Amino acid sequence: AQKVTQAQTEISVVEKEDVTLDCVYETRDTTYYLFWYKQPPSGELVFLIRRNSFDEQNEISGRYSWNFQKSTSSFNFTITASQVVDSAVYFCALSANSGAGSYQLTFGKGTKLSVIP
Amino acid sequence: DADVTQTPRNRITKTGKRIMLECSQTKGHDRMYWYRQDPGLGLRLIYYSFDVKDINKGEISDGYSVSRQAQAKFSLSLESAIPNQTALYFCATSDRTSGGLPGGETQYFGPGTRLLVL
């Protein structure tokens, strides 16, 4: 069975601080994909990044960066110099074989980030 | 225009009523999904469809049914709504050919439907 744990339920930071959102996953598959989505207060889900299990290179996109470590089964997300517009709920998700070749997306429970001006 | 649309965006209904939530997409994707989101629980998969003739149950399909009327349309029905079906419902789509290895395709979500069952 697949599982995604986002241990931080809520985080508050002051604007311009850096913040890291943790994601730990469990799967027996050797081939899998990891995703991050952002859900702003308006409610929609916005895709941020996809990473496959064979690519452990860290990814940087502007103020966002992702650290994938297979040794610790973690896929952490860092926002540098946070802004108020970063306030949202962030979901980590895992796509792995759920049986008979069927891949399903398993979501963590989300981390609510509040950036205080 | 949005690539994935959901109607209605908000709905209030009473216990025992039948309701339908609709999802349409212009992305040309073959795969479509229905999820529900409850506070503090993340998203859970209700049903998914890999093409018009392929419908599969997800983690929490009891009390729900679906219909894939066309490649671009996927509807979710609550045959007899109950209060614990109050939630935010999302439709999502993906393209089987876009993900490289199996399971790698990215899912793109609609704006969601807020459902309140009284």
Side-chain angles (χ1 to χ4, degrees):
Chain A
Q2 280 69 243
K3 185 178 180 180
V4 176
T5 302
Q6 294 181 255
Q8 305 149 308
T9 305
E10 293 192 37
I11 302 176
S12 290
V13 298
V14 176
E15 198 171 22
K16 298 185 182 179
E17 287 184 347
D18 299 346
V19 58
T20 295
L21 309 182
D22 297 332
C23 173
V24 174
Y25 62 92
E26 296 177 27
T27 178
R28 294 181 179 177
D29 275 357
T30 56
T31 302
Y32 52 88
Y33 287 82
L34 294 161
F35 301 80
W36 276 94
Y37 285 86
K38 174 182 179 179
Q39 186 177 39
S42 52
E44 73 274 23
L45 276 164
V46 179
F47 164 71
L48 295 178
I49 190 171
R50 180 189 75 171
R51 173 68 69 217
N52 73 52
S53 54
F54 297 108
D55 183 0
E56 288 195 70
Q57 284 190 342
N58 290 333
E59 176 94 7
I60 297 175
S61 176
R63 296 184 297 106
Y64 295 173
S65 63
W66 290 269
N67 182 6
F68 176 32
Q69 292 194 341
K70 288 181 72 172
S71 60
T72 56
S73 296
S74 64
F75 187 42
N76 297 336
F77 173 30
T78 297
I79 301 175
T80 301
S82 60
Q83 301 177 1
V84 173
V85 293
D86 296 325
S87 296
V89 179
Y90 291 86
F91 291 97
C92 180
L94 166 69
S95 176
N97 193 338
S98 59
S102 174
Y103 286 76
Q104 296 184 13
L105 201 55
T106 301
F107 283 83
K109 295 183 178 181
T111 297
K112 182 178 181 181
L113 173 65
S114 298
V115 181
I116 304 166
Chain B
D1 289 341
D3 295 321
V4 184
T5 58
Q6 293 183 233
T7 56
R9 294 295 311 279
N10 295 279
R11 178 75 183 269
I12 300 174
T13 192
K14 295 182 178 180
T15 297
K17 294 292 188 180
R18 182 182 187 275
I19 67 165
M20 179 182 289
L21 309 183
E22 299 186 345
C23 177
S24 295
Q25 52 113 349
T26 58
K27 298 179 79 67
H29 289 173
D30 52 337
R31 299 181 168 185
M32 299 186 74
Y33 311 80
W34 276 104
Y35 291 87
R36 66 176 278 175
Q37 181 182 10
D38 298 277
L41 293 181
L43 278 78
R44 293 180 292 167
L45 182 64
I46 306 172
Y47 270 96
Y48 60 102
S49 169
F50 283 172
D51 65 40
V52 174
K53 297 181 180 179
D54 180 59
I55 304 289
N56 303 280
K57 294 182 177 180
E59 178 187 354
I60 53 165
S61 60
D62 288 348
Y64 301 94
S65 63
V66 291
S67 173
R68 186 83 184 265
Q69 302 95 322
Q71 186 186 35
K73 296 184 182 296
F74 192 35
S75 300
L76 176 72
S77 294
L78 286 67
E79 298 300 327
S80 180
I82 56 177
N84 76 0
Q85 290 177 315
T86 292
L88 179 57
Y89 289 84
F90 285 102
C91 173
T93 73
S94 70
D95 176 0
R96 171 180 56 85
T97 64
S98 69
L101 295 172
E105 65 268 23
T106 298
Q107 293 185 23
Y108 295 92
F109 287 79
T113 294
R114 291 193 180 276
L115 175 65
L116 173 61
V117 183
L118 301 175

